[in-house]
C-alpha cells in the first residue's frame, strides 16, 4: 500500500498537538502514515509533548516560516504522498486520509484539500483566484460587511459538498495532500512566502501546468479557530499583506503588472489601517 508522510508544523502548540496526532493515529490508513512534527522555535512545551507522543520532532532554533519549514520536513521523508495538517486541526473521521489518497488516484488532480469546520461552522476553504477588482473589493468590504458580493465571488462554492469532490482554484494548507513526485517537481512551497498564500501559490503553479485542485467531499477537519488571540498580531498582519504583494506580482501578466505599484500602495494603506485599529483595540481591552 502507498505510504503517506504527514507533516505537522508547530509553534507553541503544546496544548493542541495531542488531539491532532491522535486523529491521525485513528485513521483507517494509519499503518501507512509517518508523522513528522517540525517545530519553529516554540517557547512552550511543544517539543516535550511531541516526544511524549513518541515522535522525535525536528527542532528549528529559529522561526523560519511556514513554507520553508514544511519544505524542510518534506525533504526528510520518502512516502508516496506528502500531507499537511495544522496542529490546531483534527481529522474529522477515520477515513479522511484514505479519501484524499483515493482522490489523487486521478493523476490530472494535483492536490486535494478538506472541508473545514471552524467554531462549529463551515469555513470557506476551496476558494477562487480573484481578479484584481474582486481582490480589492474583498479586501475593503470583507471586514466591514461579511457576505458582500465581492467576498461571495471570491469564496464561490468554497464550503464544499459532503456528497462529492469539487474542483476549486486553491485550498488551504491547513490540511492537504499531494503526490510526492509532483510535490518535488513543483519544488514544494515557494519560500518567498514566509507565511500566508504559499498554498494559493502552489495551486496557481499546479494550475499553470494543467493540474486541478480539488476540495474533498468526504474528508473534513475540525479547526480550532480563535485559540491564539482575539486580535491578530501586527507581525501576522505584515506577513499577510507582504504575501499578497508577492502573489499579485507572481500571478499578473501583461498590462495588469502596471498596476503593481498601485496594489502595493493599496495594501500598504490597508495594513496601516489594520495595525492602527489593532493597536486601538489592544489599548481599549487593556484599560
Amino acid at each position: 500500500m502507498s505510504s503517506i508522510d504527514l507533516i505537522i508544523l508547530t509553534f507553541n502548540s503544546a496544548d493542541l498537538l495531542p488531539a491532532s496526532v491522535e486523529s491521525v493515529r485513528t485513521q483507517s490508513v494509519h499503518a501507512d502514515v509517518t508523522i513528522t512534527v517540525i517545530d519553529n522555535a516554540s517557547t512552550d512545551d511543544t517539543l516535550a509533548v511531541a516526544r511524549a507522543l513518541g515522535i522525535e520532532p525536528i527542532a528549528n532554533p529559529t522561526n523560519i516560516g511556514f513554507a520553508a519549514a514544511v519544505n524542510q520536513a518534506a525533504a526528510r521523508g520518502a512516502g508516496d504522498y506528502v500531507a499537511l495538517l495544522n496542529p490546531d486541526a483534527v481529522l474529522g473521521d477515520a477515513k479522511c486520509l484514505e479519501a484524499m489518497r483515493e482522490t489523487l488516484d486521478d493523476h490530472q488532480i494535483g492536490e486535494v484539500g478538506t472541508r473545514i469546520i471552524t467554531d462549529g461552522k463551515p469555513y470557506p476553504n476551496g476558494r477562487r483566484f480573484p481578479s484584481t477588482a474582486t481582490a480589492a473589493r474583498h479586501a475593503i468590504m470583507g471586514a466591514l460587511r461579511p457576505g458582500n458580493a465581492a467576498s461571495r465571488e471570491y469564496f464561490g462554492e468554497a464550503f464544499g459538498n459532503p456528497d462529492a469532490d469539487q474542483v476549486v482554484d486553491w485550498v488551504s494548507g491547513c490540511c492537504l495532500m499531494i503526490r510526492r513526485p509532483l510535490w518535488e517537481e513543483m519544488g514544494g512551497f515557494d519560500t518567498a512566502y514566509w507565511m500566508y498564500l504559499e498554498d494559493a501559490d502552489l495551486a496557481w503553479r499546479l494550475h499553470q501546468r494543467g493540474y486541478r485542485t480539488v476540495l474533498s467531499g468526504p474528508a473534513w477537519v475540525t479547526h480550532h479557530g480563535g485559540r491564539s488571540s482575539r486580535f491578530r498580531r501586527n507581525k501576522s498582519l505584515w506577513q499577510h499583506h507582504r504575501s499578497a504583494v508577492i502573489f499579485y506580482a507572481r500571478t499578473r501578466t501583461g498590462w495588469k503588472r502596471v498596476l503593481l505599484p498601485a496594489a502595493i500602495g493599496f495594501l500598504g494603506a490597508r495594513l496601516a489601517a489594520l495595525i492602527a485599529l489593532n493597536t486601538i483595540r489592544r489599548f481599549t481591552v487593556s484599560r
Side-chain angles (χ1 to χ4, degrees):
M1 184 63 71
S2 53
S3 56
I4 301 169
D5 286 324
L6 187 138
I7 298 164
I8 302 177
L9 171 58
T10 57
F11 178 72
N12 292 339
S13 308
D15 60 331
L16 298 167
L17 185 60
S20 183
V21 169
E22 179 61 22
S23 75
V24 178
R25 289 177 170 169
T26 58
Q27 289 291 294
S28 60
V29 295
H30 69 92
D32 304 325
V33 180
T34 299
I35 302 173
T36 298
V37 171
I38 181 165
D39 184 76
N40 265 347
S42 289
T43 56
D44 67 357
D45 294 329
T46 297
L47 296 177
V49 169
R51 293 183 180 112
L53 292 168
I55 302 170
E56 183 58 38
I58 302 170
N60 286 330
T62 59
N63 190 339
I64 63 173
F66 184 87
V70 169
N71 288 357
Q72 177 187 356
R76 298 278 189 97
D80 302 298
Y81 299 87
V82 174
L84 311 181
L85 181 65
N86 275 10
D88 58 355
V90 173
L91 294 168
D93 63 47
K95 292 191 175 182
C96 284
L97 295 180
E98 181 180 349
M100 296 171 77
R101 189 167 63 180
E102 288 177 355
T103 294
L104 292 175
D105 285 342
D106 181 346
H107 281 229
Q108 291 184 334
I109 296 173
E111 63 175 352
V112 57
T114 64
R115 293 182 295 114
I116 298 176
I117 307 297
T118 299
D119 297 330
K121 299 178 182 178
Y123 177 83
N125 184 17
R127 304 184 182 188
R128 294 174 176 169
F129 297 129
S131 66
T132 302
T134 297
R137 289 161 51 217
H138 169 68
I140 295 171
M141 297 302 298
L144 299 176
R145 191 177 60 169
N148 66 85
S151 295
R152 291 197 306 271
E153 181 179 345
Y154 172 45
F155 293 147
E157 300 297 326
F159 297 101
N161 179 352
D163 298 322
D165 291 350
Q166 67 185 74
V167 177
V168 296
D169 283 347
W170 66 280
V171 291
S172 167
C174 173
C175 183
L176 63 79
M177 185 183 293
I178 182 172
R179 292 180 298 278
R180 175 173 288 280
L182 184 55
W183 170 265
E184 294 177 349
E185 178 185 336
M186 302 304 296
F189 285 137
D190 186 337
T191 55
Y193 299 89
W194 195 84
M195 185 169 62
Y196 301 116
L197 293 178
E198 66 289 313
D199 40 18
D201 176 88
L202 175 62
W204 175 270
R205 290 185 285 125
L206 287 168
H207 178 74
Q208 296 301 106
R209 297 196 184 194
Y211 293 100
R212 300 194 303 271
T213 291
V214 164
L215 181 62
S216 176
W220 57 282
V221 301
T222 299
H223 181 247
H224 299 286
R227 289 293 303 274
S228 59
S229 175
R230 180 182 174 188
F231 306 113
R232 301 172 65 188
R233 296 179 178 179
N234 289 345
K235 182 177 181 180
S236 175
L237 288 169
W238 158 251
Q239 291 296 344
H240 194 190
H241 286 73
R242 175 181 176 274
S243 291
V245 169
I246 296 171
F247 187 74
Y248 184 93
R250 297 278 174 86
T251 60
R252 296 309 190 262
T253 58
W255 67 269
K256 293 179 181 178
R257 289 192 62 83
V258 177
L259 298 176
L260 180 58
I264 293 173
F266 169 78
L267 288 168
R270 183 177 186 270
L271 172 62
L274 289 174
I275 288 177
L277 181 61
N278 197 33
T279 301
I280 292 170
R281 284 176 172 173
R282 288 179 181 275
F283 176 76
T284 302
V285 169
S286 66
R287 293 185 62 183

